Structures are given as C-alpha cells and as structure tokens.
Amino acid sequence: MKVRDPRAIARVAAAGALFGRGLCRTLSFAYRPLTRYLNNDRPELLEGGRFVYTTWHEYVFLPTWLYSRADTAWLIGQHADGEISAQISRRLGASVVRGSSTRGGTAALLRMLRQPGGTRHFGITVDGPRGPRRQFQLGAV
C-alpha cells in the first residue's frame, strides 16, 4: 500500500521519528572510525576533510540519527516512500537532499556540493533504490 496523502505521510513520519528516537536511545553501541587509526599516522586527513557516510537501506536510520549534524546531508530518493524517510530523517535532526541514482541524483549531489557554508559530509545508501539488497551499486560512486 502506497501512502500518498501529505497529512498521512506527516503522521507516519511523526510516529516513525518517535519510535526511532526511542529505539536509538535504548541501543548501546561502539564503533571505531577509520580516522582513529589514521590520526597518529596521517593527521592531515582529518583537518578540513570531507567524509562520505555509507550504509545499507535497512540500516539508514541509525547512522542518520548518529551523524545528524548541520554540516552533514543525507541523500534520500524522490519516490513516495522516500518522502516518509526524508520527513523522519528531518525530525531526527538530519539535513536531507532528495535524489537517487535513477532520478535527480546528479542534481542532488551538485546541490550538496554547492551549498555555501553548508554541507561538508554526505550520507548515502549504497545498495541502490531498486536493489538487490546489500549489493553495492555504482550509483553510489
């Protein structure tokens, strides 16, 4: 069933963000970013660098919640389901740019790169809008 009514999408997004925020607060996690290991060897990689956060579609909300900063934008598809994801991500505090490898991806990437004083880091899902699940697609490159 496709949800197309803007009010229904807003309600689903509000419920999804509430559920997601509650779920994320119950999680305990640890991660070791690559920069931790590179810091001693090559500190120039950290200064003023740009990072690309990548994730699979099914795990998109946890990284979106963890890395929601003003200088990080997440690329979310322009399809109807993407609107729900975009609204949930915005409610979690993420900056969102709409586009995908099949519709508007190039324009979205250019918008992210050209935002004055805005986006430095990007987040994308690498398994593509049409799948197959957990297989890296060239659209992410």
Side-chain angles (χ1 to χ4, degrees):
M1 179 178 94
K2 299 253 183 201
V3 178
R4 304 238 185 236
D5 179 39
R7 287 177 282 168
I9 289 173
R11 286 192 297 271
V12 169
L18 184 66
F19 175 77
R21 190 174 288 117
L23 177 67
C24 289
R25 289 181 188 201
T26 65
L27 297 176
S28 174
F29 62 91
Y31 71 99
R32 294 185 201 124
L34 182 60
T35 56
R36 179 177 176 187
Y37 300 106
L38 294 176
N39 194 15
N40 295 329
D41 297 333
R42 300 186 59 199
E44 71 276 5
L45 291 177
L46 299 178
E47 297 174 14
R50 285 185 152 177
F51 297 97
V52 177
Y53 299 108
T54 60
T55 184
W56 302 120
H57 266 95
E58 67 240 36
Y59 300 124
V60 73
F61 290 114
L62 184 62
T64 301
W65 182 70
L66 286 173
Y67 301 110
S68 291
R69 299 180 184 100
D71 63 347
T72 304
W74 290 86
L75 185 65
I76 297 180
Q78 292 178 338
H79 49 81
D81 295 339
E83 180 60 29
I84 295 171
S85 297
Q87 286 194 23
I88 290 173
S89 297
R90 284 186 190 114
R91 288 174 184 263
L92 291 175
S95 173
V96 173
V97 176
R98 303 294 304 275
S100 69
S101 59
T102 55
R103 272 198 318 194
T106 305
L109 179 62
L110 290 174
R111 275 196 308 273
M112 288 194 293
L113 289 171
R114 293 179 179 160
Q115 282 182 345
T119 304
R120 278 190 45 215
H121 311 294
F122 310 107
I124 57 173
T125 55
V126 293
D127 51 352
R130 293 194 176 118
R133 182 177 172 222
R134 289 193 184 175
Q135 288 188 9
F136 187 89
Q137 300 295 315
L138 289 178
V141 176

